[in-house]
Structure formats: structure tokens, C-alpha cells
Amino acid sequence: MLKVDLHCHSNVSDGVLAPADVAQHARQGGVDVWALTDHDEIGGIAAARVAAADLGMQFVSGVEISITWAKETVHIVGLRLDETNPALLAGLACTRSGRDNRGREISRQLELAGIPGAYEGALKYVGNPDLMSRTHFARYLVEVGACKNVPEVFKKYLSEGKPGYVPHCWASLSDAVGWIRGAGGVAVIAHPGRYKFSDTAQGVLFDEFKQLGGAAIEVVTGSHTPDQYPIYAEHARRYGFLASRGTDFHAPGEARVDFGLLPPLPSNLTPVWHDWF
Ligand code: AMP
Ligand code: MN
Ligand code: MN
Ligand code: MN
């Protein structure tokens, strides 16, 4: 059976490895079909595609778009898209444009919380000046000993209601799905189990997404706990979504799951890649 992994990050967004090194790491983990899905950015795709071909992996172009839906940040993955599509490129550039200012504001908030110099500190971890992410702040706060690991930084400082949280308005659901579909791609709701929606709100999100032409949800992902796999498998069946699978890898040792460690999709689902080969 093909090992398919359709969600991960390079240092073109908030991962730590260069695209070609992520490719190699994925191959070492046994991946046969691989997508790079950097946040709001397609700048790593060309290098990733070449590296994947050299390693004998099938490559799938991808992106993970940040949107705001019902006042929450939601991520929409686009797969198999034409990364040269002008409307997609313009939309992603617009989505990235507020990140630097948000980073400066996060830094001011952290300073008030007793952690100075976080903007400059986070910048040391940034591979793409256009893409300063909360993850880069998290790595810096671990470096200075404010927390012992990245998840703890999110819990104590960077999530809603915490001292370093700065609200941000991203693209809309309809923009993101429109850019992806306009570029010939497939739209996927990333890690639906990570959002803090009520069952009702989640149902509305799924319905709206479907109406806009969204095709799939992630079921098996490193950003779900294993007990969420059957829950989202059931949602995929009920709503008639295709199912996707991917580590959401950012850095070796930073999260629970690395390439090669996820189980296959539960049976009785149609994989998002069912008609690709
Ligand atoms: P940003 O796009 O700058 O808001 O940062 C979002 C990124 O932060 C996500 O893509 C994850 O990589 C990371 N992240 C968000 N929540 C958590 C969490 N609870 N634990 C670890 N990383 C997280
Ligand atoms: Mn990330
Ligand atoms: Mn995400
Ligand atoms: Mn991701």
C-alpha cells in the first residue's frame, strides 16, 4: 500500500528544515506520496518537487491557508494546485502581509509579560521574512527558558486569552477555497479536531465548506489525538467528504508524530488521493 503524507512544513514557513531536507526526512520515514504544505506560501514547492523526484517520491503541490471563520483561526489545505496561478499568488501574498506587524505586537505583549526582545529573538528562527509565525516565538521562548517546550509556550503565552496572544484577521473561507479551486486544486479542512467549535458550529463550517466546493477533511493527522481519528472518520462519512492524512511535521522531535508513525486511514473512507494515480 502506498504511504501517503499530505501535510508538513519547511523553513519557508514555520518548519525548521529546508524543503529538500523535509523531502529526504519524509522518504526516510517511508513516504511514497508527499505534499509540502507551508503556511500561506508556495515558495518551497519548486525545490521540494525536484528533491522528491530525486528520491523517487510522487510529489503533490500544496499549501495551508490561514483563514478566520466565526472569529476563530482555521486552516485550509490546498492540494494538487497550480502554484503559479496568479489569483492564488495574490491571495497568499495578501494573507502574509500582516504577519510582521502582528509579530511586533506579540513581542510588545511578551515584554509586558516580562520577556523582552522576543521580536529579535524569534527572527533568528525565521527562514522567510514574509512568514513570521507564532511557532518562531515559541522556539525563542523555549531557548530563553520561559517554557520547556513548544506546546507549553502555546498553552501559557500564545493562545487566545494568554498574554502574548494577538488576534489577527486572515482570509475568508470562501476566498481560500476559491483560490485553491481556481488553481485547479482540492480544498481540505486541516485538523478539524483542533478548533474549539461547538458541534453545531462545526456542522455549519462543514456545510459551508461543502457548499463552496470543499472536498475533504483531514482524519489521520499528527494534529489530532488518536481518539479523534474515528470521530473525524465518522464526520467524513456523514458529510460525504474525502479523507486526508498527514503528519503536520514541523521539526524533528518537536511534536508527537514524525513521518512513518501515523496509522493508515480507517477503512470505509474514500482517500482524497483515490483518483490521482
Ligand atoms: P500562526 O500561523 O503564526 O498563527 O501560527 C500557527 C502555528 O502555530 C501552527 O501552524 C502550529 O505550527 C503552531 N501551533 C498552534 N497551536 C499550537 C499548539 N497548541 N502547540 C504547538 N504548536 C502550535
Ligand atoms: Mn505551523
Ligand atoms: Mn495547521
Ligand atoms: Mn500545518
Side-chain angles (χ1 to χ4, degrees):
M1 197 167 61
L2 282 178
K3 295 232 177 70
V4 181
D5 196 295
L6 301 175
H7 188 148
C8 69
H9 300 274
S10 75
N11 64 358
V12 169
S13 65
D14 61 346
V16 300
L17 303 178
D21 296 328
V22 186
Q24 187 152 29
H25 195 66
R27 195 54 166 156
Q28 273 163 4
V31 174
D32 304 302
V33 178
W34 174 62
L36 179 69
T37 55
D38 275 311
H39 296 285
D40 308 318
E41 174 65 275
I42 49 72
I45 289 183
R49 179 180 283 122
V50 170
D54 287 347
L55 292 159
M57 270 191 302
Q58 302 230 36
F59 181 70
V60 176
S61 56
V63 68
E64 181 176 19
I65 304 179
S66 316
I67 67 157
T68 301
W69 189 86
K71 299 192 176 141
E72 295 285 333
T73 300
V74 169
H75 288 169
I76 304 295
V77 163
L79 297 172
R80 274 190 126 203
L81 37 76
D82 168 12
E83 75 275 13
T84 67
N85 180 274
L88 171 72
L89 294 176
L92 295 180
C94 182
T95 300
R96 288 192 299 268
S97 65
R99 279 183 176 272
D100 186 69
N101 272 337
R102 180 183 67 147
R104 291 175 196 276
E105 186 55 32
I106 290 174
S107 184
R108 269 190 287 278
Q109 303 283 328
L110 289 173
E111 183 153 7
L112 294 173
I115 302 166
Y119 179 84
E120 292 71 20
L123 214 47
K124 292 189 295 179
Y125 293 90
V126 170
N128 171 359
D130 241 17
L131 215 122
M132 185 171 225
S133 159
R134 284 184 290 162
T135 314
H136 301 119
F137 283 91
R139 292 187 185 125
Y140 176 67
L141 264 61
V142 173
E143 177 195 316
V144 298
C147 288
K148 62 178 187 307
N149 55 41
V150 165
E152 189 186 313
V153 182
F154 276 89
K155 222 189 229 158
K156 289 194 176 162
Y157 291 100
L158 296 178
S159 32
E160 194 168 350
K162 297 300 152 70
Y165 179 75
V166 174
H168 194 74
C169 191
W170 304 105
S172 71
L173 179 64
S174 110
D175 281 343
V177 175
W179 299 334
I180 292 165
R181 297 188 72 215
V186 181
V188 184
I189 299 180
H191 41 65
R194 231 175 64 184
Y195 313 122
K196 305 274 176 277
F197 293 128
S198 65
D199 288 351
T200 311
Q202 178 177 261
V204 176
L205 171 65
F206 288 168
D207 284 336
E208 273 186 31
F209 178 68
K210 186 142 204 196
Q211 256 171 15
L212 291 165
I217 63 172
E218 288 183 345
V219 171
V220 172
T221 150
S223 288
H224 281 168
T225 53
D227 59 303
Q228 289 177 316
Y229 304 158
I231 296 173
Y232 285 90
E234 186 48 37
H235 286 304
R237 288 186 204 107
R238 176 138 37 92
Y239 283 84
F241 285 131
L242 304 172
S244 192
R245 174 184 188 271
T247 46
D248 206 356
F249 171 84
H250 285 73
E254 199 169 84
R256 181 175 64 81
V257 169
D258 205 326
F259 292 108
L261 299 179
L262 283 177
L265 284 178
S267 57
N268 215 346
L269 291 175
T270 309
V272 66
W273 59 87
H274 75 106
D275 60 353
W276 291 358
F277 311 111

